Amino acid sequence: EASFARIQEVDDKIKAFVTVNEEAREHAKKLDEALDKNETRGLLFGLPVGLKDNLMTEGMKTTSGSRMLENFVPTYSAAVVHKLAKAEAVMMGKLNMDEFAMGSSNETSYFHPTYNPWNTDYVPGGSSGGSAAAVAAGEVSFALGTDTGGSIRQPAAYCGVVGMKPTYGRVSRDGLIAFASSLDQIGPITRTVEDNALVLGEIAGQCQRDPMTAAEPVPDYLSALTGDVKGLRIAVPKEFLGEGVADDVKASVKEALQLFEKLGASIEEVSLPHAEYAVSAYYVLASGEASASLARFDGVRYGYRANATNLQDLYDKTRSEGFGDEVKRRILFGTFALSTGYYDMYYKKAQQVRTLIKKDFDDLWESYDVIIGPTTPTTAFKVGEKVDDPMTMYANDILTIPVSLAGVPSMSVPCGFSNGLPIGLQIIAKPFAEDTIYRTAHAFE
Ligand code: GLN
């Protein structure tokens, strides 16, 4: 009831939701009744959760922020949705996002933008902007987002909440509408580090329906919250505090680092020499993969279908009318980069860069436990400020994308404010060391 009331109260202004699940009330009642008979309760018993709208929910509209799926109702639910249900969370509905998760501001959603709860003149970030805003505004206890190049961490930073992008392969992508399958990961967005650890523990683990999930056992993340970072070896890449990063963000991150030092951690400057090529490589790879992932939206199998006179016409019209500008830009660019004659020049080259970036990170894990820097170069920008300038919008992801290409886990945790807008600290660790990230973040929180 509190969650419904809060949605009623603020969502006209925030616009985080695409679909509110009216059946949540019934579900909550059933859980309540079962409580009387049952002794054990799920770890997320009764907690209101919101889901990014690219996570499939059986019987409930799943739009991926697109006209293409405006009326699409899946016949099955994502693996993470099953896991949340098993843990007895109550699903409050589906949260707004950039169309097919392509964007950094939630402005590419077909339906409407979402606004930053701290100041509605500003964007909440993207593409999981609805998820971050709903949590920041107290509409839900926690939310799930997805991150391909920064889409959990960047909106978490802009909205002053905690957002974890787990290791690639840590959480099943079964039932996630793919953007770029070699990068996509699902993760929790929460108000505290502890909540985050709790939720990841419930959704992580190997899954038969996602062959890329790892057999790696899921540790008890809560036991990592010791508050102790004595002896923790922190690396700070100089590229993460370079020219493009705003002074207020730098100052806040430096303050955080001093605090870690006070708590007994050691800090050293390092370099990620190939990080500067990450954004270029990412847009070739992610767009190439997206051009393939989105080929299925042809007017025949799913979603939107245009009126047409023949099959070719059906494909053309459906895709012209169903996709927005940003999605089309990626499909065209991705198709071009993958085409015969250009493959070696762009896609293969980008893969080689990706390998070098991964190696930059690998080289650090022997000497350091975590890498720390800002999540984003600036605080949230104004609604409309970058919407017509894709290159500036892309550059915004400069600090999150290298991590995505390396496939390592990384979390944004609030570390300060500037002019009333939150600043995010990014904590990165080696593959499957989410527990180290939680330990680090918790000591700081
Ligand atoms: N902003 C980046 C993009 O548009 C990242 C998106 C994401 O992580 N889904 O590709």
mmCIF file of all heavy atoms in Angstrom, residues 52 54 97-105 108 126-128 146-155 165 179-180 183-185 282-283 286-287 326 330 393-394 396-397 400-401 404, ligand 1:
data_model
loop_
_atom_site.group_PDB
_atom_site.id
_atom_site.type_symbol
_atom_site.label_atom_id
_atom_site.label_comp_id
_atom_site.label_asym_id
_atom_site.label_seq_id
_atom_site.Cartn_x
_atom_site.Cartn_y
_atom_site.Cartn_z
ATOM 1 N N LYS A 52 13.040 -3.154 -14.783
ATOM 2 C CA LYS A 52 13.270 -2.473 -16.047
ATOM 3 C C LYS A 52 12.438 -3.177 -17.122
ATOM 4 O O LYS A 52 12.321 -4.415 -17.110
ATOM 5 C CB LYS A 52 14.757 -2.537 -16.395
ATOM 6 C CG LYS A 52 15.160 -1.697 -17.610
ATOM 7 C CD LYS A 52 16.676 -1.742 -17.798
ATOM 8 C CE LYS A 52 17.129 -0.900 -18.976
ATOM 9 N NZ LYS A 52 18.603 -0.939 -19.143
ATOM 10 N N ASN A 54 12.743 -4.178 -20.004
ATOM 11 C CA ASN A 54 13.259 -5.145 -20.978
ATOM 12 C C ASN A 54 13.381 -6.545 -20.364
ATOM 13 O O ASN A 54 13.937 -7.451 -20.972
ATOM 14 C CB ASN A 54 14.614 -4.703 -21.556
ATOM 15 C CG ASN A 54 15.658 -4.449 -20.474
ATOM 16 O OD1 ASN A 54 15.361 -4.538 -19.279
ATOM 17 N ND2 ASN A 54 16.871 -4.135 -20.884
ATOM 18 N N MET A 97 12.715 3.135 -19.650
ATOM 19 C CA MET A 97 14.101 2.929 -20.089
ATOM 20 C C MET A 97 14.289 3.556 -21.467
ATOM 21 O O MET A 97 13.326 3.803 -22.177
ATOM 22 C CB MET A 97 14.393 1.431 -20.183
ATOM 23 C CG MET A 97 13.406 0.681 -21.088
ATOM 24 S SD MET A 97 13.694 -1.098 -21.151
ATOM 25 C CE MET A 97 15.124 -1.148 -22.242
ATOM 26 N N ASP A 98 15.541 3.783 -21.833
ATOM 27 C CA ASP A 98 15.817 4.182 -23.210
ATOM 28 C C ASP A 98 15.430 3.015 -24.115
ATOM 29 O O ASP A 98 15.528 1.843 -23.731
ATOM 30 C CB ASP A 98 17.305 4.499 -23.366
ATOM 31 C CG ASP A 98 17.664 5.853 -22.774
ATOM 32 O OD1 ASP A 98 17.180 6.860 -23.310
ATOM 33 O OD2 ASP A 98 18.403 5.895 -21.777
ATOM 34 N N GLU A 99 15.007 3.359 -25.322
ATOM 35 C CA GLU A 99 14.511 2.328 -26.240
ATOM 36 C C GLU A 99 15.565 1.229 -26.459
ATOM 37 O O GLU A 99 16.699 1.514 -26.833
ATOM 38 C CB GLU A 99 14.123 2.963 -27.588
ATOM 39 C CG GLU A 99 13.483 1.947 -28.520
ATOM 40 C CD GLU A 99 12.990 2.557 -29.827
ATOM 41 O OE1 GLU A 99 13.242 3.733 -30.110
ATOM 42 O OE2 GLU A 99 12.333 1.804 -30.585
ATOM 43 N N PHE A 100 15.181 0.011 -26.198
ATOM 44 C CA PHE A 100 16.073 -1.150 -26.300
ATOM 45 C C PHE A 100 17.402 -0.939 -25.556
ATOM 46 O O PHE A 100 18.439 -1.465 -25.931
ATOM 47 C CB PHE A 100 16.309 -1.559 -27.762
ATOM 48 C CG PHE A 100 15.110 -2.239 -28.367
ATOM 49 C CD1 PHE A 100 14.296 -1.572 -29.269
ATOM 50 C CD2 PHE A 100 14.765 -3.535 -28.003
ATOM 51 C CE1 PHE A 100 13.158 -2.183 -29.799
ATOM 52 C CE2 PHE A 100 13.640 -4.166 -28.528
ATOM 53 C CZ PHE A 100 12.836 -3.493 -29.428
ATOM 54 N N ALA A 101 17.339 -0.130 -24.513
ATOM 55 C CA ALA A 101 18.492 0.139 -23.629
ATOM 56 C C ALA A 101 19.582 0.958 -24.311
ATOM 57 O O ALA A 101 20.734 0.954 -23.883
ATOM 58 C CB ALA A 101 19.068 -1.156 -23.046
ATOM 59 N N MET A 102 19.215 1.654 -25.382
ATOM 60 C CA MET A 102 20.205 2.460 -26.099
ATOM 61 C C MET A 102 20.044 3.923 -25.722
ATOM 62 O O MET A 102 19.154 4.611 -26.227
ATOM 63 C CB MET A 102 20.022 2.284 -27.600
ATOM 64 C CG MET A 102 20.263 0.850 -28.032
ATOM 65 S SD MET A 102 19.779 0.592 -29.715
ATOM 66 C CE MET A 102 19.925 -1.197 -29.796
ATOM 67 N N GLY A 103 20.906 4.377 -24.829
ATOM 68 C CA GLY A 103 20.839 5.763 -24.410
ATOM 69 C C GLY A 103 21.394 5.948 -23.021
ATOM 70 O O GLY A 103 21.687 4.969 -22.320
ATOM 71 N N SER A 104 21.545 7.198 -22.626
ATOM 72 C CA SER A 104 22.139 7.523 -21.328
ATOM 73 C C SER A 104 21.289 8.520 -20.565
ATOM 74 O O SER A 104 21.761 9.156 -19.631
ATOM 75 C CB SER A 104 23.530 8.130 -21.538
ATOM 76 O OG SER A 104 24.327 7.271 -22.312
ATOM 77 N N SER A 105 20.028 8.708 -20.975
ATOM 78 C CA SER A 105 19.238 9.768 -20.357
ATOM 79 C C SER A 105 17.755 9.439 -20.195
ATOM 80 O O SER A 105 17.008 10.229 -19.645
ATOM 81 C CB SER A 105 19.344 11.034 -21.212
ATOM 82 O OG SER A 105 18.733 10.800 -22.473
ATOM 83 N N THR A 108 15.284 8.464 -24.962
ATOM 84 C CA THR A 108 14.963 7.754 -26.203
ATOM 85 C C THR A 108 13.781 6.792 -26.018
ATOM 86 O O THR A 108 13.393 6.103 -26.944
ATOM 87 C CB THR A 108 16.173 6.985 -26.806
ATOM 88 O OG1 THR A 108 16.417 5.802 -26.036
ATOM 89 C CG2 THR A 108 17.421 7.837 -26.846
ATOM 90 N N GLY A 126 20.601 6.879 -17.905
ATOM 91 C CA GLY A 126 19.971 5.780 -18.645
ATOM 92 C C GLY A 126 20.980 4.697 -18.944
ATOM 93 O O GLY A 126 22.148 4.838 -18.636
ATOM 94 N N SER A 127 20.564 3.580 -19.462
ATOM 95 C CA SER A 127 19.205 3.388 -19.888
ATOM 96 C C SER A 127 18.266 2.915 -18.781
ATOM 97 O O SER A 127 17.047 2.950 -18.959
ATOM 98 C CB SER A 127 19.163 2.389 -21.046
ATOM 99 O OG SER A 127 19.669 1.134 -20.635
ATOM 100 N N SER A 128 18.813 2.502 -17.614
ATOM 101 C CA SER A 128 17.922 2.063 -16.530
ATOM 102 C C SER A 128 17.473 3.255 -15.689
ATOM 103 O O SER A 128 17.440 3.182 -14.455
ATOM 104 C CB SER A 128 18.623 1.027 -15.641
ATOM 105 O OG SER A 128 19.254 0.032 -16.393
ATOM 106 N N THR A 146 19.517 -3.129 -16.220
ATOM 107 C CA THR A 146 20.485 -3.870 -17.025
ATOM 108 C C THR A 146 21.567 -2.907 -17.482
ATOM 109 O O THR A 146 21.324 -1.707 -17.625
ATOM 110 C CB THR A 146 19.843 -4.534 -18.258
ATOM 111 O OG1 THR A 146 19.369 -3.522 -19.162
ATOM 112 C CG2 THR A 146 18.683 -5.438 -17.867
ATOM 113 N N ASP A 147 22.749 -3.463 -17.662
ATOM 114 C CA ASP A 147 23.924 -2.648 -17.955
ATOM 115 C C ASP A 147 24.674 -3.300 -19.106
ATOM 116 O O ASP A 147 25.070 -4.461 -19.019
ATOM 117 C CB ASP A 147 24.789 -2.590 -16.684
ATOM 118 C CG ASP A 147 25.916 -1.572 -16.758
ATOM 119 O OD1 ASP A 147 26.659 -1.593 -17.753
ATOM 120 O OD2 ASP A 147 26.063 -0.777 -15.795
ATOM 121 N N THR A 148 24.842 -2.548 -20.179
ATOM 122 C CA THR A 148 25.581 -3.019 -21.348
ATOM 123 C C THR A 148 26.873 -2.220 -21.472
ATOM 124 O O THR A 148 27.932 -2.762 -21.755
ATOM 125 C CB THR A 148 24.702 -2.870 -22.609
ATOM 126 O OG1 THR A 148 23.477 -3.559 -22.396
ATOM 127 C CG2 THR A 148 25.389 -3.422 -23.855
ATOM 128 N N GLY A 149 26.748 -0.903 -21.226
ATOM 129 C CA GLY A 149 27.919 -0.034 -21.268
ATOM 130 C C GLY A 149 27.918 0.954 -20.111
ATOM 131 O O GLY A 149 28.690 1.912 -20.094
ATOM 132 N N GLY A 150 27.012 0.754 -19.163
ATOM 133 C CA GLY A 150 26.955 1.672 -18.026
ATOM 134 C C GLY A 150 25.552 1.914 -17.506
ATOM 135 O O GLY A 150 25.336 2.679 -16.563
ATOM 136 N N SER A 151 24.595 1.240 -18.106
ATOM 137 C CA SER A 151 23.181 1.564 -17.874
ATOM 138 C C SER A 151 22.611 1.252 -16.503
ATOM 139 O O SER A 151 21.485 1.644 -16.214
ATOM 140 C CB SER A 151 22.317 0.876 -18.920
ATOM 141 O OG SER A 151 22.337 1.631 -20.100
ATOM 142 N N ILE A 152 23.367 0.578 -15.633
ATOM 143 C CA ILE A 152 22.954 0.493 -14.232
ATOM 144 C C ILE A 152 23.712 1.559 -13.438
ATOM 145 O O ILE A 152 23.139 2.316 -12.646
ATOM 146 C CB ILE A 152 23.249 -0.909 -13.633
ATOM 147 C CG1 ILE A 152 22.289 -1.950 -14.201
ATOM 148 C CG2 ILE A 152 23.173 -0.870 -12.104
ATOM 149 C CD1 ILE A 152 22.585 -3.380 -13.772
ATOM 150 N N ARG A 153 25.012 1.638 -13.686
ATOM 151 C CA ARG A 153 25.885 2.478 -12.857
ATOM 152 C C ARG A 153 25.655 3.975 -13.080
ATOM 153 O O ARG A 153 25.621 4.754 -12.128
ATOM 154 C CB ARG A 153 27.353 2.121 -13.164
ATOM 155 C CG ARG A 153 27.731 0.733 -12.661
ATOM 156 C CD ARG A 153 28.991 0.238 -13.348
ATOM 157 N NE ARG A 153 28.724 -0.182 -14.729
ATOM 158 C CZ ARG A 153 29.643 -0.311 -15.674
ATOM 159 N NH1 ARG A 153 30.895 -0.015 -15.397
ATOM 160 N NH2 ARG A 153 29.316 -0.714 -16.887
ATOM 161 N N GLN A 154 25.510 4.377 -14.329
ATOM 162 C CA GLN A 154 25.359 5.809 -14.610
ATOM 163 C C GLN A 154 24.052 6.372 -14.036
ATOM 164 O O GLN A 154 24.075 7.389 -13.347
ATOM 165 C CB GLN A 154 25.524 6.050 -16.124
ATOM 166 C CG GLN A 154 25.489 7.507 -16.548
ATOM 167 C CD GLN A 154 24.177 7.833 -17.243
ATOM 168 O OE1 GLN A 154 23.174 7.161 -17.012
ATOM 169 N NE2 GLN A 154 24.184 8.859 -18.075
ATOM 170 N N PRO A 155 22.897 5.726 -14.259
ATOM 171 C CA PRO A 155 21.680 6.252 -13.612
ATOM 172 C C PRO A 155 21.728 6.149 -12.092
ATOM 173 O O PRO A 155 21.189 7.021 -11.399
ATOM 174 C CB PRO A 155 20.547 5.391 -14.197
ATOM 175 C CG PRO A 155 21.180 4.262 -14.905
ATOM 176 C CD PRO A 155 22.584 4.651 -15.210
ATOM 177 N N LYS A 165 26.630 -3.572 -11.447
ATOM 178 C CA LYS A 165 26.717 -4.386 -12.659
ATOM 179 C C LYS A 165 27.583 -5.582 -12.306
ATOM 180 O O LYS A 165 28.776 -5.450 -12.106
ATOM 181 C CB LYS A 165 27.375 -3.642 -13.819
ATOM 182 C CG LYS A 165 27.461 -4.536 -15.067
ATOM 183 C CD LYS A 165 28.522 -4.098 -16.066
ATOM 184 C CE LYS A 165 29.890 -4.712 -15.829
ATOM 185 N NZ LYS A 165 30.001 -6.135 -16.244
ATOM 186 N N PHE A 179 20.225 -6.489 -26.045
ATOM 187 C CA PHE A 179 20.769 -5.342 -26.771
ATOM 188 C C PHE A 179 22.075 -5.836 -27.399
ATOM 189 O O PHE A 179 22.146 -6.027 -28.611
ATOM 190 C CB PHE A 179 20.950 -4.182 -25.798
ATOM 191 C CG PHE A 179 21.840 -3.044 -26.238
ATOM 192 C CD1 PHE A 179 22.326 -2.934 -27.529
ATOM 193 C CD2 PHE A 179 22.179 -2.042 -25.319
ATOM 194 C CE1 PHE A 179 23.147 -1.873 -27.904
ATOM 195 C CE2 PHE A 179 22.998 -0.973 -25.694
ATOM 196 C CZ PHE A 179 23.483 -0.903 -26.977
ATOM 197 N N ALA A 180 23.093 -6.117 -26.583
ATOM 198 C CA ALA A 180 24.359 -6.666 -27.089
ATOM 199 C C ALA A 180 24.745 -7.815 -26.162
ATOM 200 O O ALA A 180 25.218 -7.595 -25.043
ATOM 201 C CB ALA A 180 25.426 -5.598 -27.104
ATOM 202 N N LEU A 183 27.706 -8.300 -23.742
ATOM 203 C CA LEU A 183 27.926 -7.264 -22.727
ATOM 204 C C LEU A 183 26.796 -7.157 -21.707
ATOM 205 O O LEU A 183 27.015 -6.754 -20.562
ATOM 206 C CB LEU A 183 28.082 -5.895 -23.408
ATOM 207 C CG LEU A 183 29.295 -5.719 -24.326
ATOM 208 C CD1 LEU A 183 29.034 -4.636 -25.365
ATOM 209 C CD2 LEU A 183 30.537 -5.386 -23.520
ATOM 210 N N ASP A 184 25.581 -7.492 -22.112
ATOM 211 C CA ASP A 184 24.401 -7.289 -21.248
ATOM 212 C C ASP A 184 24.536 -8.022 -19.910
ATOM 213 O O ASP A 184 24.882 -9.200 -19.885
ATOM 214 C CB ASP A 184 23.126 -7.843 -21.921
ATOM 215 C CG ASP A 184 22.774 -7.147 -23.240
ATOM 216 O OD1 ASP A 184 23.260 -6.034 -23.473
ATOM 217 O OD2 ASP A 184 21.992 -7.744 -24.019
ATOM 218 N N GLN A 185 24.247 -7.343 -18.828
ATOM 219 C CA GLN A 185 24.114 -7.989 -17.517
ATOM 220 C C GLN A 185 22.969 -7.341 -16.744
ATOM 221 O O GLN A 185 22.751 -6.137 -16.859
ATOM 222 C CB GLN A 185 25.394 -7.844 -16.686
ATOM 223 C CG GLN A 185 26.341 -9.041 -16.791
ATOM 224 C CD GLN A 185 25.743 -10.353 -16.310
ATOM 225 O OE1 GLN A 185 25.525 -10.554 -15.123
ATOM 226 N NE2 GLN A 185 25.482 -11.264 -17.240
ATOM 227 N N TYR A 282 33.483 0.130 -28.192
ATOM 228 C CA TYR A 282 32.160 -0.277 -27.704
ATOM 229 C C TYR A 282 31.072 0.006 -28.729
ATOM 230 O O TYR A 282 30.210 -0.832 -28.975
ATOM 231 C CB TYR A 282 31.854 0.454 -26.391
ATOM 232 C CG TYR A 282 30.410 0.345 -25.951
ATOM 233 C CD1 TYR A 282 29.981 -0.760 -25.215
ATOM 234 C CD2 TYR A 282 29.475 1.333 -26.270
ATOM 235 C CE1 TYR A 282 28.648 -0.868 -24.807
ATOM 236 C CE2 TYR A 282 28.150 1.228 -25.876
ATOM 237 C CZ TYR A 282 27.742 0.136 -25.149
ATOM 238 O OH TYR A 282 26.441 0.025 -24.757
ATOM 239 N N TYR A 283 31.085 1.190 -29.316
ATOM 240 C CA TYR A 283 29.989 1.517 -30.234
ATOM 241 C C TYR A 283 30.023 0.680 -31.506
ATOM 242 O O TYR A 283 28.975 0.415 -32.094
ATOM 243 C CB TYR A 283 29.890 3.030 -30.485
ATOM 244 C CG TYR A 283 29.090 3.640 -29.352
ATOM 245 C CD1 TYR A 283 29.706 4.191 -28.237
ATOM 246 C CD2 TYR A 283 27.696 3.531 -29.337
ATOM 247 C CE1 TYR A 283 28.971 4.654 -27.160
ATOM 248 C CE2 TYR A 283 26.948 3.998 -28.277
ATOM 249 C CZ TYR A 283 27.590 4.560 -27.187
ATOM 250 O OH TYR A 283 26.842 4.993 -26.123
ATOM 251 N N ALA A 286 28.884 -3.035 -29.772
ATOM 252 C CA ALA A 286 27.509 -3.068 -29.273
ATOM 253 C C ALA A 286 26.523 -2.839 -30.416
ATOM 254 O O ALA A 286 25.479 -3.498 -30.482
ATOM 255 C CB ALA A 286 27.316 -2.019 -28.174
ATOM 256 N N SER A 287 26.862 -1.940 -31.329
ATOM 257 C CA SER A 287 25.940 -1.688 -32.439
ATOM 258 C C SER A 287 25.905 -2.882 -33.387
ATOM 259 O O SER A 287 24.843 -3.238 -33.901
ATOM 260 C CB SER A 287 26.346 -0.427 -33.209
ATOM 261 O OG SER A 287 26.425 0.668 -32.340
ATOM 262 N N GLU A 326 17.357 6.639 -32.456
ATOM 263 C CA GLU A 326 18.617 6.138 -31.894
ATOM 264 C C GLU A 326 18.812 4.666 -32.253
ATOM 265 O O GLU A 326 19.916 4.234 -32.596
ATOM 266 C CB GLU A 326 18.646 6.336 -30.366
ATOM 267 C CG GLU A 326 19.951 5.942 -29.691
ATOM 268 C CD GLU A 326 21.168 6.715 -30.209
ATOM 269 O OE1 GLU A 326 21.026 7.887 -30.615
ATOM 270 O OE2 GLU A 326 22.272 6.127 -30.228
ATOM 271 N N ARG A 330 21.855 2.919 -34.548
ATOM 272 C CA ARG A 330 22.710 1.782 -34.144
ATOM 273 C C ARG A 330 22.616 0.640 -35.154
ATOM 274 O O ARG A 330 23.609 -0.016 -35.445
ATOM 275 C CB ARG A 330 22.294 1.262 -32.768
ATOM 276 C CG ARG A 330 22.181 2.310 -31.702
ATOM 277 C CD ARG A 330 23.461 2.549 -30.967
ATOM 278 N NE ARG A 330 23.241 3.583 -29.968
ATOM 279 C CZ ARG A 330 23.490 3.439 -28.670
ATOM 280 N NH1 ARG A 330 23.975 2.315 -28.208
ATOM 281 N NH2 ARG A 330 23.271 4.429 -27.835
ATOM 282 N N MET A 393 26.525 12.519 -26.065
ATOM 283 C CA MET A 393 25.806 11.555 -25.234
ATOM 284 C C MET A 393 26.675 10.300 -25.052
ATOM 285 O O MET A 393 26.800 9.783 -23.957
ATOM 286 C CB MET A 393 24.482 11.197 -25.921
ATOM 287 C CG MET A 393 23.526 10.404 -25.076
ATOM 288 S SD MET A 393 22.684 11.413 -23.843
ATOM 289 C CE MET A 393 21.190 11.854 -24.702
ATOM 290 N N TYR A 394 27.289 9.823 -26.113
ATOM 291 C CA TYR A 394 28.121 8.605 -26.029
ATOM 292 C C TYR A 394 29.326 8.822 -25.113
ATOM 293 O O TYR A 394 29.721 7.934 -24.357
ATOM 294 C CB TYR A 394 28.622 8.177 -27.420
ATOM 295 C CG TYR A 394 27.547 7.785 -28.425
ATOM 296 C CD1 TYR A 394 27.872 7.552 -29.764
ATOM 297 C CD2 TYR A 394 26.217 7.642 -28.046
ATOM 298 C CE1 TYR A 394 26.901 7.187 -30.695
ATOM 299 C CE2 TYR A 394 25.238 7.291 -28.972
ATOM 300 C CZ TYR A 394 25.586 7.066 -30.301
ATOM 301 O OH TYR A 394 24.633 6.724 -31.219
ATOM 302 N N ASN A 396 29.611 10.419 -22.560
ATOM 303 C CA ASN A 396 29.219 10.358 -21.160
ATOM 304 C C ASN A 396 29.560 9.024 -20.501
ATOM 305 O O ASN A 396 29.698 8.926 -19.291
ATOM 306 C CB ASN A 396 27.710 10.572 -21.127
ATOM 307 C CG ASN A 396 27.237 11.005 -19.790
ATOM 308 O OD1 ASN A 396 26.731 10.203 -19.035
ATOM 309 N ND2 ASN A 396 27.452 12.254 -19.470
ATOM 310 N N ASP A 397 29.688 7.973 -21.317
ATOM 311 C CA ASP A 397 29.910 6.627 -20.786
ATOM 312 C C ASP A 397 31.380 6.247 -20.722
ATOM 313 O O ASP A 397 31.734 5.092 -20.548
ATOM 314 C CB ASP A 397 29.187 5.599 -21.665
ATOM 315 C CG ASP A 397 27.692 5.793 -21.664
ATOM 316 O OD1 ASP A 397 27.160 6.243 -20.639
ATOM 317 O OD2 ASP A 397 27.051 5.503 -22.687
ATOM 318 N N THR A 400 32.427 4.097 -17.675
ATOM 319 C CA THR A 400 31.755 2.816 -17.407
ATOM 320 C C THR A 400 32.026 1.786 -18.497
ATOM 321 O O THR A 400 32.053 0.587 -18.226
ATOM 322 C CB THR A 400 30.226 3.012 -17.270
ATOM 323 O OG1 THR A 400 29.759 3.799 -18.369
ATOM 324 C CG2 THR A 400 29.875 3.689 -15.969
ATOM 325 N N ILE A 401 32.231 2.256 -19.716
ATOM 326 C CA ILE A 401 32.387 1.338 -20.853
ATOM 327 C C ILE A 401 33.645 0.451 -20.791
ATOM 328 O O ILE A 401 33.558 -0.735 -21.102
ATOM 329 C CB ILE A 401 32.277 2.121 -22.185
ATOM 330 C CG1 ILE A 401 30.786 2.362 -22.480
ATOM 331 C CG2 ILE A 401 32.936 1.387 -23.340
ATOM 332 C CD1 ILE A 401 30.507 3.174 -23.724
ATOM 333 N N SER A 404 32.794 -2.525 -18.865
ATOM 334 C CA SER A 404 31.866 -3.423 -19.566
ATOM 335 C C SER A 404 32.626 -4.290 -20.565
ATOM 336 O O SER A 404 32.369 -5.483 -20.675
ATOM 337 C CB SER A 404 30.811 -2.613 -20.308
ATOM 338 O OG SER A 404 30.075 -1.836 -19.403
HETATM 339 N N1 GLN B 1 24.614 4.484 -22.929
HETATM 340 C C1 GLN B 1 25.185 3.301 -23.496
HETATM 341 C C2 GLN B 1 24.531 3.013 -24.833
HETATM 342 O O1 GLN B 1 23.679 3.751 -25.225
HETATM 343 C C3 GLN B 1 25.025 2.145 -22.562
HETATM 344 C C4 GLN B 1 23.682 1.564 -22.611
HETATM 345 C C5 GLN B 1 23.530 0.362 -21.748
HETATM 346 O O2 GLN B 1 24.372 0.050 -20.916
HETATM 347 N N2 GLN B 1 22.462 -0.361 -21.997
HETATM 348 O O3 GLN B 1 24.902 2.070 -25.490
#
